[in-house]
Amino acid sequence: MEFLKTLGIEGINPGTSTGRKHMESKETISSYTPTDGERIATVGVTSREQYDHVVEEAHKAFEVWKNMPAPQRGEIVRQIGQKLREYKEPLGKLVTYEMGKIYQEGLGEVQEMIDICDFAVGQSRMLYGKTMHSERPEHRMYEQWHPLGIVGIISAFNFPVAVWSWNAMIAAVCGNVMIWKGSEKTPLCAVAIQKIVAKVLKENDLPEGIFNLVTGDRQVGEWMTEDERIPLISATGSIRMGKEVGKTVASRLGKTILELGGNNAIIISENADLEMAIRATVFGAVGTCGQRCTSTRRLIIHESVYDQVKERLMSIYKNITIGDPLDENTLVGPMIDQDAIDLMQKALKEIEREGGKVIYGGEPLDEDGFYVRPALAEVQNHYNIVQEETFAPILYLMKYKTTEEAIEMHNGVKQGLSSAMFTLNMREAERFLSVGGSDCGIANINIGTSGAEIGGAFGGEKETGGGRESGSDSWKAYMRRQTNTMNWGDSLPLAQGIDFDV
Ligand code: UN1
C-alpha cells in the first residue's frame, strides 16, 4: 500500500498519536479496513497521564497562538491547506481504505478540508465585531471577539478527517488550540492528519500543542467532556452520545457544538423533474453506504408518481456496483464493521414486524469485508423504526396526497438536519423553505440532502443538537464576545441617565 508509506503511517504505529514519541502507550487499538476486514496497523491509546500532558502542552501553545495576529494564524492554515493539496490522493485513498467510502468520496472529503482551509484563511481577516452608538456623550462602544482557549473536537468514523477540519481550521484562525479525539474506528486517518499538521507547525517554529490528537474510546472522550480546562466541546456522532456530552459539559457550564443524527427526507412532488430527483435520491441514500448524517433515509413521494419512482429506483438499485471502494467502477463500498451490518439487519426485521415491506436488497454479500446490498422499503412514517436513524443504506418509501401532508410527514420525526424538495413549482418550493415548511438546519430545492458545501453553516435542529459548524458565521461559536465601552471625555455620565453624585 504505497499511500500508507507516502503518509508515513505504514505498519505498526506504537506510541500515542500526539506526536510526542517519548510517551509510548501501553494499550493499543487496531485499525481494520472494512474492505476485507484485515488489520492495517495498531495505534497507541492515550493514557490519563498522557492526556494531562497534552492538555498542558495545549495550554502552553495557546499563550503563543492567541498572541499571533489572526491573519498570521490564517497563513498557517493556508500552509496546511497547501499540504493537504499535496497529499490529496494518498489521503483520499487512506480515507477510503480505513473507512470504506468510495475513492471519489474519499477525495471529496479531502477536498472539503482544503475548501475549509481556504475559507478559514479569508475568515482570519474577517473576525468582525460591531460598533454601536453609545447613549453617553464622548463614549465609544464596540465589541471584540477573543478566542476561548482549548477546543475539544470529537469526531465520528464516517467523516474521519473533514469534520475535524471544519472545526479545527475555523477555531484555529480564531486563536484557539485544539484537542482532537477521532473515532476509534478510523485512528490512522487522524494520525496521518496530525503528521501533516505537525510538519507545518515545525516548519514555522510553532509548538505542536496548537493541534493535538488523543486516541481512545469513550473513556478519553469523558476526560474531555468533564475537563474544565476545555471551554468548548464540538461533538459529532449519535444522538445518544450527544445527549451524554451535552449533559456533562452543561453541568460544568461549558459550551458545546453538537452535530448529531439526522433522519433526512426528500419530498418528490408531482411537479418534480423526476430524473434529477431520482439521481439525487440514489446518491443520498447509498453514498458512503448510507453512513452520512445527511444520508437520505425517507422518500416522501406524491401518489401520482409513486409507482414510477419506485420502479426506477428498483431498476437502478439492481445495477449498482458494490465492492472494493478503491476500484473506480464501484458505487457502493462496505459498511464500517460487522456491528453496522447487524444493526441494519435488525432494522430490516423491525420494518417487517411493524407492517412494512422490504422491497429490495438489504442482505449482506457473501464476501470478505462488510458489504451489503442497499435496501428499499415501503413503510409508514410513524413506525418506530422509521422514526429512528439507522446508520445504513435503507431508503424508506412513503406516499402523500397534499403538500400539507408531505410537510407534516417530513417534519414528523425527532431529528432535524437536512431536507430537500424536488419541484419545479415555485409556490411549492417557497413554501417548503418558509417558516411553515422544513424544520431542518438545511433545506434544499432540487438538490439532495447530502453533500453540503462548506460555505454554509452546517448543522440541524431538534435532536440533531442545534450546533452549527463550517461556513457562514459559525466562527462565532469558537470565540467569546466582549463588549467594550470607552469613555474619552472628562466626565462620568451614567447609563439610563442615573444621577449619582458623590
Ligand atoms: C456527516 O455525515 O457527519 O453534507 C457530515 C454532507 C457532507 C458532510 C456530512 N458535507 O454530506
Side-chain angles (χ1 to χ4, degrees):
M1 293 285 163
E2 199 52 37
F3 59 91
L4 296 177
K5 213 185 276 170
T6 315
L7 295 167
I9 50 166
E10 205 184 23
I12 307 293
N13 198 328
T16 182
S17 32
T18 53
R20 291 175 193 84
K21 291 191 188 66
H22 62 280
M23 301 188 81
E24 299 237 322
S25 303
K26 287 196 198 80
E27 239 185 285
T28 56
I29 43 171
S30 293
S31 162
Y32 298 92
T33 172
T35 62
D36 59 11
E38 287 296 312
R39 185 158 84 169
I40 321 172
T42 56
V43 175
V45 171
T46 307
S47 66
R48 178 71 213 199
E49 192 196 343
Q50 289 168 334
Y51 170 78
D52 283 326
H53 177 75
V54 166
V55 176
E56 278 160 32
E57 292 294 309
H59 205 76
K60 276 189 236 157
F62 181 52
E63 293 307 308
V64 178
W65 190 239
K66 75 176 185 194
N67 286 310
M68 246 169 102
Q72 285 183 25
R73 297 193 292 253
E75 165 56 20
I76 303 302
V77 168
R78 189 192 65 76
Q79 291 178 31
I80 293 174
Q82 199 51 35
K83 277 264 183 308
L84 293 174
R85 282 183 170 87
E86 280 165 35
Y87 288 101
K88 182 172 174 184
E89 285 178 15
L91 272 176
K93 280 195 180 137
L94 174 63
V95 167
T96 292
Y97 193 52
E98 196 182 30
M99 186 274 150
K101 63 177 70 174
I102 59 170
Y103 185 46
Q104 274 305 311
E105 291 183 288
L107 286 175
E109 178 160 359
V110 183
Q111 186 58 45
E112 223 170 327
M113 303 178 80
I114 296 168
D115 293 343
I116 198 72
C117 286
D118 287 355
F119 184 94
V121 175
Q123 190 71 67
S124 72
R125 290 183 187 268
M126 297 187 294
L127 303 174
Y128 300 138
K130 293 186 167 158
T131 58
M132 304 85 174
H133 282 258
S134 171
E135 66 190 49
R136 289 171 277 190
E138 299 177 331
H139 278 56
R140 184 165 67 86
M141 196 156 65
Y142 72 115
E143 67 186 9
Q144 298 186 83
W145 294 85
H146 294 308
L148 291 170
I150 302 176
V151 171
I153 301 166
I154 298 175
S155 63
F157 76 86
N158 64 334
F159 274 79
V161 293
V163 169
W164 164 81
S165 69
W166 306 339
N167 286 280
M169 295 303 111
I170 300 290
V173 297
C174 294
N176 301 288
V177 296
M178 275 52 66
I179 297 180
W180 176 24
K181 185 188 112 44
S183 165
E184 63 270 30
K185 294 178 181 174
T186 50
L188 269 193
C189 284
V191 174
I193 293 296
Q194 180 69 16
K195 280 186 170 258
I196 289 173
V197 171
K199 217 180 276 177
V200 173
L201 293 172
K202 197 155 179 228
E203 284 165 10
N204 287 277
D205 248 339
L206 285 165
E208 190 179 332
I210 297 169
F211 293 96
N212 303 276
L213 178 65
V214 291
T215 308
D217 53 15
R218 243 184 114 99
Q219 175 66 75
V220 179
E222 275 170 23
W223 293 336
M224 291 169 72
T225 52
E226 285 163 6
D227 198 335
E228 284 174 359
R229 297 169 293 181
I230 305 185
L232 169 67
I233 297 281
S234 175
T236 302
S238 68
I239 290 168
R240 190 187 50 73
M241 178 280 289
K243 282 184 176 168
E244 280 174 34
V245 167
K247 209 154 67 186
T248 310
V249 179
S251 71
R252 60 175 173 91
L253 300 181
K255 296 184 199 313
T256 47
I257 298 175
L258 298 176
E259 206 271 278
L260 313 174
N263 195 349
N264 319 298
I266 295 181
I267 299 175
I268 302 186
S269 123
E270 72 270 39
N271 303 308
D273 175 330
L274 282 189
E275 275 314 299
M276 259 170 64
I278 283 162
R279 281 189 56 190
T281 300
V282 176
F283 176 71
V286 310
T288 321
C289 206
Q291 299 167 108
R292 290 194 193 206
C293 55
T294 51
S295 290
T296 307
R297 312 224 173 268
R298 298 178 299 137
L299 204 54
I300 304 169
I301 312 162
H302 191 265
E303 58 176 4
S304 65
V305 291
Y306 183 89
D307 290 337
Q308 206 182 334
V309 169
K310 176 175 148 184
E311 271 150 39
R312 273 292 283 140
L313 283 174
M314 296 266 267
S315 79
I316 292 175
Y317 268 56
K318 276 180 194 145
N319 290 313
I320 281 178
T321 44
I322 308 164
D324 180 1
L326 283 165
D327 180 338
E328 300 263 3
N329 294 318
T330 299
L331 286 178
V332 175
M335 301 196 73
I336 186 69
D337 55 19
Q338 187 59 44
D339 284 355
I341 294 191
D342 293 347
L343 277 175
M344 177 175 179
Q345 299 311 305
K346 214 172 121 202
L348 293 168
K349 284 205 191 88
E350 271 307 293
I351 293 168
E352 302 265 343
R353 203 189 55 79
E354 289 196 74
K357 201 164 162 226
V358 178
I359 55 170
Y360 182 80
E363 66 279 9
L365 302 192
D366 191 17
E367 275 171 38
D368 287 340
F370 307 113
Y371 299 93
V372 292
R373 210 174 286 291
L376 296 169
E378 293 185 295
V379 299
Q380 300 288 323
N381 200 49
H382 62 80
Y383 291 175
N384 290 326
I385 193 67
V386 177
Q387 292 283 314
E388 272 173 37
E389 176 192 47
T390 302
F391 224 52
I394 305 175
L395 180 64
Y396 297 126
L397 310 189
M398 298 175 273
K399 236 181 238 180
Y400 78 90
K401 280 196 179 72
T402 64
T403 314
E404 286 82 9
E405 195 192 345
I407 292 175
E408 200 180 304
M409 277 162 81
H410 177 277
N411 293 346
V413 290
K414 286 193 197 151
Q415 310 83 347
L417 180 55
S418 187
S419 60
M421 178 185 259
F422 275 79
T423 178
L424 300 175
N425 179 303
M426 186 262 256
R427 288 183 179 152
E428 206 171 47
E430 288 292 344
R431 180 169 188 180
F432 184 68
L433 303 181
S434 77
V435 63
S438 164
D439 62 2
C440 290
I442 298 169
N444 299 327
I445 299 294
N446 296 335
I447 69 161
T449 59
S450 65
E453 298 175 24
I454 58 93
F458 183 86
E461 304 304 326
K462 303 196 282 187
E463 286 197 349
T464 301
R468 291 296 187 278
E469 296 170 350
S470 231
S472 186
D473 63 354
S474 306
W475 61 273
K476 290 182 175 170
Y478 303 89
M479 301 200 89
R480 60 186 171 87
R481 184 199 312 245
Q482 187 175 67
T483 303
N484 305 119
T485 310
M486 169 73 144
N487 177 0
W488 54 275
D490 57 6
S491 63
L492 198 67
L494 296 179
Q496 296 88 44
I498 290 175
D499 193 4
F500 190 80
D501 228 358
V502 282

